[in-house]
Amino acid sequence: MTVLRQLLARKVVGGASEQADAQGVQLRRTLGPWGLTALGIGAVIGGGIFVITGQAAAEHAGPAVLLSFVIAAVCCSFTALCYAEFATLIPMSGSSYSYAYATLGEFAAWFIGWNMVLEYGVSASAVAVSWTGYFRSLLDHLGLRLPADLSNAPIAFVDKHLVVTGALFNLPAVILVLLLTWLCYVGIRESSGVNTAIVVLKVTLIVIVIVAGWHYVNPDLWHPFIPPAQGPEKYGWGGIMRAATLVFFAYIGFEATSTAAQEAKNPQRDLPIGTLASLAICTVLYVAMAAVLTGLIPFAKLGTAEPVVTAVAAHPQLDWLRWLVEIGALLGLGSVVLVMIIAQPRIFMIMGRDGMLPPVFSKLHPRYRTPHVNTVITGCGIALLAAVFPLDVLGDLVSMGTLLAFVAVCAGVLILRRTRPDLPRTFRVPWATVTCTLGVLSCLMLLYWENWYNWTLMGLWTLLGFGIYFGYGYRHSKLRQT
C-alpha cells in the first residue's frame, strides 16, 4: 500500500514554485511573449517543411498531405490550449512532466518525463541528421563534395531490419550539435537571441519560397487529390492518416515554450501567447509549403533527403531560389536542434530537483546560471545518436512518446478542474470537457495508426525507463522523503 501511495503521490501545485525557489541559484528571466513565440517557431519549423513533407507525400498521402497537416494541427491545437492553461497554473520548467506530477502522480510523471527524452533529445538527433542532407546539397552546389563515409549513418533501417551501411559516422551532424551545445552552455539570453534572429530570417526565406514557387505550380499535379489506395498505409484515407502520424513529428516543439517557464518574464501572460501563436504561424506555413511542393513536381518524386531542393531544381527558372532553400533549410533545421538542446536539459533539471535523477542534473553554473553539466551530458548524447542513426529509425518513436505526453496533459487539465477548482487561472481552456476529451481522443487516434514494430520499440524504451525509476528515482524522490 505504501508503494502504491508513492506511485500516485502528487506534487502540490501551490508549492511548486516555492520548492524551486529554495534551491539557491535560479534561472534568469529574460523571455517575453515574442521571445517565447520565436522559441516555439524555432522548435517547430525545420524537419516538417524541409524533410517530412516530401516523405509523407511520396510514400503515403500524395497531394492530400495537406489534409494530413490539418489533422495533425487540429490534434495539436487541443493540446496547445491545455498546455496554455497548465503553464499559467504551474509556471515551472519541465512541461508535461511537471503537469503530470501535479495531477496524475509520481509514476505517471516519470513515464511522461522519460517519453519527453524522445520528444526533445532523440528528435534533436533526427533533425541534425536531416541538416546533413541539406548541408551536402549546398556543398554540391558549390562544387565541393563531402566523403560519404563521413556524412551518413553506419546503420540503416531496411525492410524493418537494421543493416550496416559501411559508413563511419555522420560528422556534420555531430559538429552542429556540439557547437549548439556550447551556445546553450553559456546562457539562454545568448542562445535565445540567436534563435530569434534565425527564426525571423528563415520564416522570411520560407515565405519567399512559397510566393516564388506558387507562380510555377501546376494544378493538374493535384489531381487526383487523394490517390487511389494501394495498400493499408499507401494513399487513400489510410495513407492520409498514416501521413498524419509522420507530419505530427513536424509539430513537435510548439509546447517547448512551456519548458522555459522559469525564464519567462511574465509566464501567466506570455506562455499562452507564445504557445498558441507559434502553433498558428507554423500551421499556415506548413500547409502553404506542402501545396507548393506537390504542385511543382509529381508527388512521387518528393521522397528524397532534400525534397524542397528537388522540387525547386525541377524548374530552371527557380535555380536562383535553390540557394535560399539550402540556406533556409540549414538555418531552420539548426534552430530546431538549438531549441531542443535548450529544452531537454531543463526537463532533466526539474526531474533532478525532484530527486528522480542524480543531483548533477539540477546543478546550475554560478556565472551563466544554466544547467551546464546537464547541457553537456544532453548534447553529447544527442551528438552520439546523430552520428550513428538515420532519421527514419527513431522518427515514429519520437511521435509516439510525444503523443502519450499530450494525452497526459489533456487529461490533467480535467483532473485539476475537479480536484483544484480554487486555483486562479489567468487562461482557461474553453469548453474544457469537450476540448480536453477531443484532445485525448485525437492523440489516441494518431497512435492507432502507428506500426506494430514501433510499439515494440516503445515497449523496450518504456522498460528501460521503469528500470531507471525503480532503481534510482523511487528511492531518492524528494516527495517520498517529505
Side-chain angles (χ1 to χ4, degrees), residues 434-448:
V434 175
T435 302
C436 296
T437 301
L438 290 176
V440 171
L441 293 177
S442 59
C443 291
L444 293 177
M445 177 189 67
L446 292 182
L447 283 169
Y448 171 79

Side-chain angles (χ1 to χ4, degrees), residues 88-110:
T88 62
L89 282 171
I90 313 171
M92 289 283 293
S93 296
S95 189
S96 304
Y97 164 78
S98 296
Y99 306 157
Y101 213 156
T103 58
L104 303 176
E106 181 175 287
F107 185 69
W110 169 263

Side-chain angles (χ1 to χ4, degrees), residues 172-224:
V174 171
I175 294 176
L176 171 70
V177 171
L178 294 181
L179 286 175
L180 295 179
T181 298
W182 170 80
L183 187 63
C184 293
Y185 182 97
V186 300
I188 194 169
R189 178 188 296 273
E190 291 76 10
S191 56
S192 177
V194 171
N195 178 67
T196 301
I198 291 176
V199 167
V200 172
L201 180 58
K202 75 178 179 181
V203 169
T204 301
L205 291 174
I206 289 170
V207 171
I208 293 174
V209 171
I210 293 172
V211 173
W214 192 263
H215 293 288
Y216 299 92
V217 164
N218 180 6
D220 293 337
L221 295 177
W222 292 332
H223 301 287

Side-chain angles (χ1 to χ4, degrees), residues 199-469:
V199 167
V200 172
L201 180 58
K202 75 178 179 181
V203 169
T204 301
L205 291 174
I206 289 170
V207 171
I208 293 174
V209 171
I210 293 172
V211 173
W214 192 263
H215 293 288
Y216 299 92
V217 164
N218 180 6
D220 293 337
L221 295 177
W222 292 332
H223 301 287
F225 185 68
I226 302 179
Q230 299 180 12
E233 299 178 353
K234 193 172 182 65
Y235 309 136
W237 278 102
I240 291 173
M241 297 306 300
R242 181 68 180 95
T245 66
L246 287 178
V247 301
F248 176 82
F249 176 82
Y251 284 101
I252 290 175
F254 74 86
E255 80 293 353
T257 54
S258 63
T259 67
Q262 283 186 298
E263 289 141 294
K265 296 177 181 177
N266 186 352
Q268 281 75 15
R269 181 201 65 185
D270 297 344
L271 285 173
I273 295 175
T275 302
L276 297 173
S278 60
L279 179 60
I281 294 171
C282 293
T283 300
V284 172
L285 293 176
Y286 276 153
V287 172
M289 181 66 90
V292 169
L293 291 184
T294 54
L296 287 177
I297 61 174
F299 62 83
K301 297 181 179 181
L302 290 172
T304 65
E306 53 283 329
V308 184
V309 169
T310 302
V312 170
H315 296 266
Q317 307 93 325
L318 295 176
D319 185 64
W320 63 272
L321 193 56
R322 179 175 173 179
W323 293 100
L324 295 180
V325 169
E326 290 167 340
I327 294 173
L330 292 176
L331 293 175
L333 296 171
S335 67
V336 171
V337 178
L338 171 63
V339 173
M340 297 305 179
I341 297 176
I342 290 174
Q344 183 63 71
R346 283 151 182 81
I347 296 170
F348 281 153
M349 180 190 70
I350 199 68
M351 294 174 75
R353 286 179 173 178
D354 290 336
M356 309 286 271
L357 291 174
V360 67
F361 284 93
S362 58
K363 186 177 181 180
L364 295 180
H365 194 284
R367 175 186 172 188
Y368 299 127
R369 294 162 65 184
T370 59
H372 57 302
V373 179
N374 187 351
T375 298
V376 171
I377 294 173
T378 300
C380 291
I382 293 173
L384 178 62
L385 291 175
V388 176
F389 292 101
L391 173 63
D392 56 356
V393 171
L394 294 174
D396 280 331
L397 192 59
V398 171
S399 294
M400 293 180 71
T402 306
L403 284 167
L404 289 172
F406 285 4
V407 169
V409 170
C410 293
V413 168
L414 281 180
I415 292 174
L416 264 190
R417 285 286 185 96
R418 285 164 173 74
T419 58
R420 295 297 303 274
D422 56 303
L423 291 174
R425 292 168 168 83
T426 56
F427 177 85
R428 297 177 65 89
V429 173
W431 306 292
T433 301
V434 175
T435 302
C436 296
T437 301
L438 290 176
V440 171
L441 293 177
S442 59
C443 291
L444 293 177
M445 177 189 67
L446 292 182
L447 283 169
Y448 171 79
W449 288 94
E450 293 285 358
N451 293 316
W452 66 268
Y453 54 86
N454 291 326
W455 282 105
T456 302
L457 292 174
M458 189 67 192
L460 294 174
W461 175 261
T462 301
L463 289 176
L464 176 61
F466 287 169
I468 296 175
Y469 171 72

